[in-house]
């Protein structure tokens, strides 16, 4: 019989991740731009416009993954792949930059953000990316807790980065290549 000590999930862990596990994950494309924009508007004080969402898909170095509940986009993560083969015009530094991680308010704290973040990190490793980085509002405690639990550490600070509040952004990063014998989250 499995116990939490040897890797089995407790009932509370399963319940907390029930919504995320029941959603369909898929890569987004330009046809998803409107759904992405609508979710942006529900999640962020400075959302991308629908046109910005659509235009992002025209960039070879851009990728996005989403969690769907039927026709409704519940959460998405967008990425910029710096140094990926498709982005050959960029210096080969092998960075996975996380642009946005948006989770519908009613679906927060149910494993959606973690599922997408881990999916993105896994994709980055498979593509040979060396590290992942992102910016996060310094007062976004829930996001900071998620990122830290997934191995991110603070690498810098961008003073007064967010135009709406003047709030600082913390720059977080984590390696994607793990030492042999140790699995990355």
């Amino acid at each position: 019989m499995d116990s939490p000590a040897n890797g089995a999930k407790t009932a509370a862990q399963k319940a907390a991740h029930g919504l995320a596990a029941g959603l369909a994950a898929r890569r987004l494309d330009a046809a998803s731009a409107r759904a992405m924009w609508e979710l942006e508007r529900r999640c962020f004080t400075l959302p991308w416009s629908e046109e910005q969402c659509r235009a992002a898909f025209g960039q070879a170095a851009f990728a996005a993954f989403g969690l769907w509940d039927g026709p409704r986009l519940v959460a998405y993560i967008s990425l910029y792949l710096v140094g990926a083969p498709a982005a050959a015009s960029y210096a080969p530094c092998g960075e996975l930059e996380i642009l946005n991680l948006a989770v519908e308010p009613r679906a927060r704290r149910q494993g959606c953000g973690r599922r997408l973040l881990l999916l993105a990190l896994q994709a980055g490793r498979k593509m040979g990316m060396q590290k992942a980085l992102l910016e996060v509002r310094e007062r976004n405690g829930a996001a900071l807790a998620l990122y830290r639990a997934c191995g991110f550490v603070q690498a810098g600070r961008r003073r007064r980065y967010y135009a709406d509040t003047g709030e600082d952004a913390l720059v977080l990063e984590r390696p994607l290549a793990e030492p042999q014998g140790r699995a990355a989250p």
Side-chain angles (χ1 to χ4, degrees):
M1 177 186 219
D2 285 333
S3 69
N6 68 8
K9 290 185 177 179
T10 66
Q13 288 171 318
K14 287 178 184 175
H17 298 290
L19 176 64
L23 300 174
R26 69 177 192 249
R27 187 164 181 170
L28 303 183
D29 58 24
S32 309
R34 183 166 185 83
M36 195 168 122
W37 169 67
E38 289 171 351
L39 183 56
E40 281 265 329
R41 290 182 25 228
R42 291 192 301 274
C43 293
F44 301 128
T45 58
L46 295 172
W48 287 6
S49 69
E50 184 175 359
E51 181 51 38
Q52 286 172 308
C53 291
R54 190 171 319 290
F57 289 104
Q59 298 178 39
F62 179 83
F65 299 93
L67 295 180
W68 296 83
D69 184 7
R72 185 175 177 90
L73 181 62
V74 174
Y76 87 87
I77 190 167
S78 60
L79 316 165
Y80 202 76
L81 309 167
V82 181
S89 63
Y90 295 93
C93 52
E95 292 178 352
L96 173 77
E97 182 180 357
I98 297 169
L99 302 173
N100 285 327
L101 175 55
V103 178
E104 191 171 271
R106 71 171 177 82
R108 290 181 182 158
R109 309 211 45 89
Q110 297 184 57
C112 297
R114 178 180 300 274
R115 182 173 172 201
L116 284 172
L117 181 59
L118 294 177
L119 175 72
L121 296 175
Q122 179 182 26
R125 270 192 300 280
K126 286 182 177 180
M127 292 180 67
M129 300 284 110
Q130 297 301 305
K131 71 177 179 177
L133 62 98
L134 59 91
E135 288 116 1
V136 61
R137 288 178 187 262
E138 67 180 336
R139 290 184 223 139
N140 189 341
L144 284 166
L146 170 62
Y147 297 138
R148 288 181 175 140
C150 290
F152 284 84
V153 296
Q154 186 174 337
R157 174 182 294 269
R158 300 193 197 285
R159 301 266 180 222
R160 302 188 52 75
Y161 183 78
Y162 294 99
D164 59 335
T165 62
E167 187 174 359
D168 289 357
L170 301 180
V171 179
L172 305 182
E173 67 180 21
R174 65 151 288 166
L176 290 180
E178 294 293 328
Q180 287 195 352
R182 184 170 166 233

